[in-house]
Amino acid sequence: MSRYQIALLPGDGIGPECMEATHRVLGQMVDRVEGLDLQFTSHRAGAELYRDTGEALPSAVLEDCLAADAVLLSAIGLPDVRYRDGTEVQPTMMVGLRRALQVHSAVRPVKLYRGAPCVLKDTGPGIDFVIIRENLEGLFASFGGGSKVGDEVATDTLVVTRKGTSQVSDFAFRLAQRRSGRPSDGKKMVTCVDKANVFQSMAFFRKVFFDVAARYPEIEAEAVYVDAMSLYMVQNPWDFDVLVMENQFGDILSDLGAGLVGGLGVGPSAEIGEKHGLFQPSHGTAPQLAGKNVANPLATILSAAMMLDWLGDKHDDPVCLRAAVDLEQAVEKVIADGNVITPDMGGNASTSQVADAVCDALVVEAPTS
Ligand code: ATP
């Protein structure tokens, strides 16, 4: 029996609707997949909770996240709910949660599903690469710090350490081992994306990356400057397999990636550390859509599939690994059919109709062990 404790954080805006849809799909999986047992706890956290209680992430909620096998979060933040200093709740809460869980590698798949809208006229042999964003340092290490000199100068420091860069690079190579290579020719490769020609910190990031690459001779390693990479992502995205980069670069390029393959409504993410895993869609809370049952739940559902894959890999659990594949295939089928999709992808279905369609599309296979 694969039994896992999952902490759910539905959050704000469209978060609760997307979580409700995902919870329903996961409930179907538990009913139908023999040997899969997911136990859920659900907690309020985020901007609305801060407005009501003065706390965004109570310590009891954080403790439950630390004790759980995985955390599934939907979306956090509301633009009109702010701390006394005028900053939004979301960055402080998310950086705090990431630091507490020590999730050093953020994974953003950029995969074009059949039938999904694509801004590119020519999609070549297909788009299927993964952005790995260093998640705890880089420019975000400065979060909560930085310095200001009067009203004239402000600075933030970009931090790159051997430990952080080794962890995220190693994660990227291990992921490349599990994937089937780039779409153009199946070659397994990891690309370091940096600005090593200008910054010491980036030259160091590249050096540590190649130190790690030496341990994976079967996987090709290369380095590309970030400005060139934003061009290649649009011109020949099929030539890439796994990309690894500093935190801020990953923040920017992963939104570009989501824009390439159907938008934020279908972009999942995983944040992984040595012990903990945090899974959430890459979109925010889209407050103008909240409560209307029109938000696209697929990014949250795909994040749940990534969660099952991570749990299966971590615990060497074929039931969970198979469930992850079945769930992603159900989403693929719903997108390919194109009959039940939300307005952001050109359809007119509701959030709950999409959840029902994913449940209907689930074909549960026995695991291969
Ligand atoms: P944040 O700063 O919290 O990341 P953001 O400013 O990037 O948020 P999002 O809330 O992510 O904004 O969304 C930007 C826009 O994309 C929304 O206003 C909405 O139109 C669209 N969008 C995002 N997520 C979804 C979704 N799940 N379903 C439908 N549309 C979405």
Side-chain angles (χ1 to χ4, degrees):
M1 173 67 78
S2 318
R3 173 171 291 172
Y4 301 105
Q5 191 69 40
I6 314 295
L8 304 178
L9 304 180
D12 304 303
I14 58 171
E17 294 155 69
C18 294
M19 185 63 88
E20 208 272 320
T22 305
H23 193 185
R24 187 137 50 95
V25 171
L26 288 173
Q28 271 282 320
M29 299 212 69
V30 170
D31 288 348
R32 293 172 55 183
V33 177
E34 209 185 313
L36 181 68
D37 183 4
L38 304 176
Q39 307 276 332
F40 300 99
T41 53
S42 182
H43 301 282
R44 283 188 81 202
E48 261 192 49
L49 184 68
Y50 177 78
R51 183 167 53 199
D52 293 349
T53 67
E55 253 190 320
L57 183 64
S59 52
V61 176
L62 180 59
E63 268 163 36
D64 190 56
C65 293
L66 287 164
D69 292 299
V71 181
L72 183 61
L73 183 151
S74 201
I76 296 290
L78 292 173
D80 57 334
V81 181
R82 296 189 178 239
Y83 292 119
R84 272 194 216 97
D85 65 2
T87 60
E88 278 193 46
V89 170
Q90 191 268 357
T92 308
M93 181 181 141
M94 286 314 302
V95 171
L97 189 56
R98 283 175 186 138
R99 286 179 180 170
L101 297 172
Q102 282 294 298
V103 280
H104 52 68
S105 300
V107 187
R108 293 268 183 99
V110 181
K111 182 168 179 180
L112 182 64
Y113 291 104
R114 194 161 56 84
C118 183
V119 287
L120 298 185
K121 209 161 47 182
D122 175 9
T123 54
I127 303 174
D128 185 0
F129 65 93
V130 180
I131 291 177
I132 309 293
R133 164 187 177 186
E134 197 294 318
N135 208 35
L136 295 173
E137 43 188 59
L139 195 53
F140 284 69
S142 216
F143 185 80
S147 62
K148 200 152 174 252
V149 184
D151 207 26
E152 299 300 324
V153 180
T155 66
D156 286 300
T157 307
L158 192 153
V159 178
V160 172
T161 68
R162 176 170 287 279
K163 183 179 173 204
T165 309
S166 300
Q167 278 178 326
V168 75
S169 302
D170 197 63
F171 184 91
F173 281 97
R174 279 188 282 123
L175 180 69
Q177 281 178 328
R178 290 184 70 207
R179 287 173 49 85
S180 42
R182 61 181 183 181
S184 53
D185 58 8
K187 189 196 285 179
K188 289 179 189 271
M189 57 193 294
V190 180
T191 306
C192 172
V193 180
D194 59 45
K195 196 71 184 166
N197 52 338
V198 178
F199 299 109
Q200 287 241 26
S201 56
M202 293 287 163
F204 183 60
F205 189 96
R206 184 181 283 204
K207 178 180 181 303
V208 175
F209 166 81
F210 278 111
D211 288 347
V212 173
R215 300 205 296 266
Y216 297 89
E218 76 284 10
I219 294 172
E220 182 162 317
E222 62 165 15
V224 170
Y225 297 133
V226 65
D227 40 346
M229 192 66 224
S230 48
L231 178 77
Y232 301 152
M233 274 176 67
V234 176
Q235 284 190 337
N236 52 317
W238 39 84
D239 286 332
F240 298 94
D241 181 11
V242 178
L243 313 179
V244 62
M245 64 198 75
E246 178 273 333
N247 207 332
Q248 174 72 359
F249 288 168
D251 187 32
I252 297 167
L253 288 193
S254 52
D255 268 30
L256 173 57
L260 275 181
V261 293
L264 288 170
V266 75
S269 86
E271 297 173 54
I272 308 292
E274 299 306 303
K275 191 160 174 224
H276 300 285
L278 167 66
F279 302 83
Q280 60 170 323
S282 30
H283 60 74
T285 56
Q288 84 280 15
L289 304 181
K292 296 183 178 158
N293 198 21
V294 295
N296 190 344
L298 292 180
T300 315
I301 294 172
L302 286 169
S303 303
M306 292 179 80
M307 177 183 80
L308 294 172
D309 181 66
W310 176 72
L311 286 168
D313 188 47
K314 184 176 182 213
H315 298 280
D316 203 9
D317 176 353
V319 172
C320 216
L321 285 170
R322 184 66 238 176
V325 173
D326 291 341
L327 182 51
E328 189 188 2
Q329 283 177 350
V331 171
E332 269 183 282
K333 187 167 182 304
V334 169
I335 296 173
D337 287 351
N339 298 320
V340 189
I341 51 174
T342 44
D344 58 304
M345 289 177 77
N348 54 17
S350 66
T351 311
S352 33
Q353 284 171 329
V354 172
D356 290 341
V358 174
C359 291
D360 291 346
L362 269 174
V363 177
V364 173
E365 304 260 346
T368 47
S369 47

